Amino acid sequence: MTAKPLLLPEPPEIPGISFHNYQSEKDLENILLVCNRLYELGIHEGGLELDELKNDYAHLNNCDLARDFLSVSYHNQPAGYIRRYWENLIAEETRVHINILWMLPEWMDSPVGDYLISWVEARASQTSADLPPLTGGNRIEFLAPETDKAKLKLLERHGYRPLRYYFDMSRSLEGELPDHPLPPGLEVRPALSSQLRQIWDASIEAFKDEWGSTELTDENYAQFLNDKTNHPELWQVAWEDDQIAGMVMNYINLAQNEQERRFRGYTEGISVRRPWRGRGLASALICRSMRMFKALNMTEVALSVDAENPSGALGLYTRLGYQTYLTKINYAKNLPEAS
Amino acid sequence: MKSADFIKNHNQSSPDFTLSLYKTEADFAKLAEISMAQATLPWAFPGLTTEEFHQNFKNLINCDLTRDLLIVEEGNHPVAYFRVSWQDTAAVPERLFFVGGRMNPSIYGKGVHELMLNWAFVRIHELSLEHPTDRLIMVNHQVNQRDLAQLAVVKSMGFTPRHHYFEMRRDLENIPSYSLPEGVTVRPAFQHEYQHVFNQGIDAFRDHYGFAESWANYQEWLEEPQFQPWLWQLAWHGNENIGQVLNYIEHGENERTNHLRGYTENISVIRKWRSKGIAKALVCRSMEMFKALGMKEVVLFVDASSPTGALHLYENLGYQVFKTMVDYVKPLQDEPFTSECAACQPGTK
């Protein structure tokens, strides 16, 4: 007995609008065009580069580009795209279907957007039908900055609701900087090339306790190694003898600084492994990172935080002087169980 | 005589060491092996990996590796290499032919160095016929002053010292601090300013010995592993970059040598802003920056006779010489086999 095949919806007939699957790197150039247009409209954060997209698309998890990517053109001009993939959550028996959707606002909250939503939902049903069932079922997620009003309206209309909030925060490096000493017995040492895997593994282990975390693979590691904003000499890694206690994986996005005409360093990838938590290590490493970025003549630092992070990260960053400048919302909906 | 005949004649004499020219990129592994062997000498330059040779030899000027790179093997074991290239520069009247390479210390005293120099003379002669010039042809061979065996060879072959370079080092304790002149600010460069920063640096170095316009390849500069703009310390007057230290870290070298070293390199100030303490202030800021990155020492190279008095400045900032390289030179016309050759005599065309 074979199950009835789950069909994909038919694309709507809209004059000038066409859809196509992933074909070549030309699609990545089109993504860049769309994102740059959205940057000009204040919707996308900017600093995206073709090399970065190529690196991302060379190392995808659970994403079949031939079937999980759809681009939208209007009179052969790029207007938007959607890409989907799935992951199993570590903390819950749940599979998440994650969608990356960027589209010009005039097409987002329209039958074009409706079609993309119904298409990814159908693809999520197809995929989950082929995978072992999980007790927590399947969840479909989109991340949207609060500035992308059209996307928020579209998602609301399709029954998606905010599940989690993320704050993008920044802090000026002018004037007095806070200072917190390293906990006794810990030492910060520059990251050597031969230690990158060990540092990565320690970071992954610590991040498993974060909400929504998923198993990372060698593809993720390869993507990370080839990421040109990845500058291990800027990392602050704390060691207790040969054990990694915690880290801040600082980086600079030169293209974004160019676009925004600012000198920002990212104090990102902040993690402390369980045995070393509660001793002020994250504060100490962030303060060192601020001083380091100041020595590099940067004028501000920034990071993103899960507003409900149970370790109290939001409070910590606020006490260190970071202020929210943008809220991003994780919109989610449960995938109806197949009968 | 031709380079190919030199190699053939030598190899036909059943020697202990055989000669061959570079053939393919697979030969970079041999160069790496040789450099790593030489790097076991405490004062030698750090060894380079196959990948680093690949990178360093990617954009060579006036050098065709398949004709200008000689590899010496003992049995099937690579023990030395020599490379020839040339430059016409504004700073000196001669055409400079640079010869040099690396040698496994195990072959010191066995005539290999002399053999490679003799090949280099033949090859340079061949090149000077292919690329005629009115300039005097000068062979320039750089030797580490502590490499007594190599020094003895170059002296015995009639080379004379002309130029000294120092590699200087400083730890990161007690870093002084200097303020910049009124109206001068420090900030990073935006991407659209990289070309400007590059041009300012090239312009400032134009009066240095060995400077060649062919250095000025912006695209190649962007691809060098030492291009690490997030580490630069730059002084600006308005939107003009007037001084620079183009700092970088050699990650592979730090890993292999167990150093935590930052290079405070490519230090320059444009002419009209010189003698105002800008270089001093930028070098000290670079030291503070490397300290904040957890480095333990900074290193730079300096031409001992730099027209800007750079050596004195670095000494005052606490840098100390730990390696001295000497450019030894010899006019090609002093080689007996060129005496009949018009191309080797200056000013005859």
Side-chain angles (χ1 to χ4, degrees):
Chain A
M1 192 179 79
T2 49
K4 202 173 102 187
L6 293 158
L7 296 176
L8 292 175
E10 285 298 317
E13 297 275 348
I14 300 167
I17 287 283
S18 59
F19 301 90
H20 70 79
N21 291 110
Y22 186 84
Q23 286 161 350
S24 68
E25 278 185 0
K26 181 84 178 116
D27 290 306
L28 303 184
E29 290 168 28
N30 288 343
I31 290 177
L32 204 56
L33 289 172
V34 169
C35 290
N36 279 335
R37 182 75 194 106
L38 293 175
Y39 167 77
E40 287 162 16
L41 296 171
I43 293 170
H44 195 280
E45 61 197 331
L48 190 62
E49 289 191 295
L50 192 57
D51 284 347
E52 186 189 335
L53 281 171
K54 283 183 187 172
N55 184 34
D56 290 349
Y57 276 63
H59 303 289
L60 298 176
N61 278 339
N62 304 327
C63 175
D64 173 2
L65 274 183
R67 302 175 69 199
D68 292 325
F69 179 99
L70 206 55
S71 83
V72 181
S73 304
Y74 179 62
H75 291 301
N76 294 320
Q77 294 302 307
Y81 79 102
I82 192 161
R83 180 173 78 76
R84 63 172 299 279
Y85 63 102
W86 60 268
E87 298 277 9
N88 289 335
L89 294 181
I90 292 171
E92 309 164 42
E93 271 283 292
T94 301
R95 182 175 298 117
V96 284
H97 299 263
I98 299 165
N99 300 290
I100 299 161
L101 167 63
W102 293 107
M103 191 153 59
L104 303 183
E106 59 264 40
W107 301 113
M108 186 69 93
D109 187 27
S110 82
V112 177
D114 293 336
Y115 169 63
L116 293 186
I117 299 277
S118 57
W119 182 80
V120 291
E121 289 179 356
R123 279 290 301 133
S125 297
Q126 286 182 336
T127 321
S128 58
D130 292 340
L131 291 166
L134 298 176
T135 53
N138 289 273
R139 189 161 78 214
I140 312 184
E141 294 185 0
F142 290 81
L143 191 67
E146 61 190 341
T147 46
D148 197 348
K149 303 285 184 218
K151 182 148 88 185
L152 303 190
K153 265 181 84 180
L154 173 75
L155 292 171
E156 294 269 357
R157 226 158 29 71
H158 284 265
Y160 290 83
R161 294 291 173 263
L163 179 63
R164 203 82 174 182
Y165 291 86
Y166 295 89
F167 296 150
D168 285 355
M169 309 181 84
S170 66
R171 187 199 194 285
S172 164
L173 292 175
E174 307 292 321
E176 278 286 296
L177 295 179
D179 198 5
H180 288 275
L182 280 171
L186 298 189
E187 179 190 28
V188 172
R189 299 200 291 259
L192 300 177
S193 338
S194 59
Q195 295 166 334
L196 295 189
R197 186 70 205 220
Q198 187 189 355
I199 296 170
W200 159 265
D201 287 340
S203 156
I204 297 316
E205 182 203 294
F207 275 112
K208 278 187 180 167
D209 295 331
E210 296 254 310
W211 184 84
S213 67
T214 59
E215 290 292 349
L216 297 185
T217 66
D218 284 346
E219 284 297 334
N220 298 97
Y221 184 64
Q223 188 275 341
F224 161 84
L225 279 188
N226 290 312
D227 182 349
K228 65 184 218 180
T229 63
N230 186 4
H231 304 308
E233 68 264 37
L234 305 184
W235 297 351
Q236 294 281 331
V237 183
W239 298 75
E240 181 160 4
D241 302 321
D242 60 349
Q243 292 286 306
I244 294 169
M247 71 191 77
V248 184
M249 292 168 124
N250 297 301
Y251 70 89
I252 296 173
N253 184 336
L254 296 168
Q256 194 184 64
N257 281 346
E258 169 75 20
Q259 209 163 19
E260 294 279 359
R261 289 292 194 275
R262 70 180 173 213
F263 300 116
R264 166 184 284 185
Y266 280 95
T267 47
E268 263 294 355
I270 302 167
S271 65
V272 174
R273 290 170 77 201
R274 282 183 179 176
W276 290 276
R277 286 183 192 163
R279 291 158 62 181
L281 179 56
S283 297
L285 292 176
I286 295 166
C287 291
R288 290 177 66 102
S289 300
M290 287 183 193
R291 273 156 219 279
M292 178 200 75
F293 275 127
K294 190 159 185 163
L296 262 61
N297 301 315
M298 294 289 135
T299 57
E300 64 177 58
V301 285
L303 50 73
S304 285
V305 61
D306 169 2
E308 293 157 67
N309 182 315
S311 69
L314 175 59
L316 171 70
Y317 304 149
T318 306
R319 283 194 297 282
L320 291 175
Y322 288 84
Q323 292 178 324
T324 301
Y325 64 91
L326 179 68
T327 302
K328 288 176 180 159
I329 308 157
N330 181 341
Y331 270 87
K333 176 166 110 175
N334 289 330
L335 185 68
E337 291 304 315
S339 51
Chain B
M1 195 195 316
K2 286 188 168 154
S3 155
D5 297 330
F6 182 98
I7 292 169
K8 203 167 113 194
N9 293 348
H10 172 82
N11 289 345
Q12 278 171 353
S13 66
S14 318
D16 292 338
F17 301 100
T18 52
L19 306 179
S20 61
L21 291 171
Y22 168 94
K23 283 182 206 68
T24 68
E25 290 180 352
D27 287 331
F28 287 142
K30 295 180 185 174
L31 309 189
E33 184 182 334
I34 297 162
S35 85
M36 292 295 175
Q38 189 169 41
T40 57
L41 295 171
W43 36 262
F45 280 113
L48 298 173
T49 62
T50 304
E51 180 49 40
E52 284 163 338
F53 271 105
H54 212 282
Q55 181 69 36
N56 290 355
F57 286 0
K58 199 163 70 178
N59 295 312
L60 295 173
I61 292 153
N62 297 333
C63 179
D64 170 2
L65 288 180
T66 61
R67 302 178 72 199
D68 298 328
L69 178 63
L70 182 75
I71 298 170
V72 183
E73 288 176 280
E74 185 173 22
N76 281 325
H77 184 52
V79 291
Y81 79 86
F82 240 42
R83 187 168 71 82
V84 172
S85 64
W86 59 273
Q87 265 180 11
D88 289 341
T89 85
V92 291
E94 305 99 354
R95 169 169 292 176
L96 293 178
F97 276 87
F98 298 99
V99 305
R102 303 213 187 191
M103 292 169 230
N104 186 321
S106 70
I107 52 95
Y108 276 26
K110 295 183 179 172
V112 174
H113 193 185
E114 294 88 333
L115 177 65
M116 292 194 297
L117 279 170
N118 281 323
W119 166 78
F121 292 137
V122 170
R123 176 63 190 141
I124 289 166
H125 184 233
E126 195 173 66
L127 278 164
S128 57
L129 296 175
E130 288 170 21
H131 306 277
T133 177
D134 281 342
R135 290 173 172 234
L136 176 71
I137 291 164
M138 190 64 94
V139 184
N140 187 318
H141 181 35
Q142 199 175 75
V143 179
N144 187 315
Q145 200 169 47
R146 289 183 57 190
D147 198 331
L148 301 179
Q150 289 200 23
L151 284 179
V153 170
V154 296
K155 283 177 185 163
S156 75
M157 292 184 73
F159 281 86
T160 53
R162 170 145 89 174
H163 230 84
H164 286 69
Y165 301 88
F166 298 133
E167 193 168 358
M168 305 180 83
R169 175 168 59 194
R170 189 199 194 284
D171 67 24
L172 292 173
E173 303 304 317
N174 305 313
I175 300 171
S177 165
Y178 294 97
S179 51
L180 287 156
E182 188 77 20
V184 175
T185 55
V186 175
R187 65 164 174 84
F190 288 114
Q191 287 177 327
H192 72 273
E193 294 169 319
Y194 291 169
Q195 172 93 59
H196 170 64
V197 170
F198 175 78
N199 293 346
Q200 297 292 90
I202 290 290
D203 199 43
F205 275 111
R206 210 159 243 136
D207 39 16
H208 271 241
Y209 177 76
F211 175 86
E213 291 298 327
S214 53
W215 283 8
N217 188 318
Y218 176 64
Q219 281 308 321
E220 288 169 9
W221 181 71
L222 294 177
E223 288 162 21
E224 286 173 5
Q226 293 82 8
F227 177 80
Q228 298 169 18
W230 51 95
L231 302 183
W232 296 348
Q233 291 286 336
L234 305 172
W236 302 81
H237 183 251
N239 282 324
E240 185 179 24
N241 171 229
I242 59 170
Q244 48 183 262
V245 184
L246 306 187
N247 299 299
Y248 60 86
I249 295 174
E250 294 275 12
H251 292 279
E253 182 189 307
N254 277 351
E255 182 92 38
R256 287 193 297 281
T257 58
N258 236 347
H259 287 140
L260 292 172
R261 171 184 289 181
Y263 283 92
T264 48
E265 256 300 323
N266 299 303
I267 301 166
S268 70
V269 175
I270 65 168
R271 274 169 208 79
K272 69 178 173 192
W273 282 93
R274 285 180 190 166
S275 309
K276 293 183 170 63
I278 291 174
K280 203 160 64 171
L282 291 179
V283 172
C284 292
R285 294 180 72 106
S286 301
M287 291 183 205
E288 287 290 357
M289 178 197 75
F290 277 126
K291 190 173 184 173
L293 294 176
M295 296 292 131
K296 298 287 183 220
E297 64 178 33
V298 285
V299 164
L300 54 76
F301 304 95
V302 62
D303 176 346
S305 51
S306 159
T308 54
L311 174 61
H312 187 62
L313 169 73
Y314 305 145
E315 282 173 336
N316 277 343
L317 290 176
Y319 284 85
Q320 291 178 331
V321 174
F322 72 104
K323 197 175 291 178
T324 304
M325 301 300 294
V326 187
D327 272 347
Y328 275 86
V329 293
K330 181 180 184 179
L332 187 66
Q333 59 181 355
D334 291 357
E335 279 303 300
F337 72 90
T338 63
S339 59
E340 302 296 311
C341 175
C344 296
Q345 309 304 319
T348 52
K349 287 173 288 299

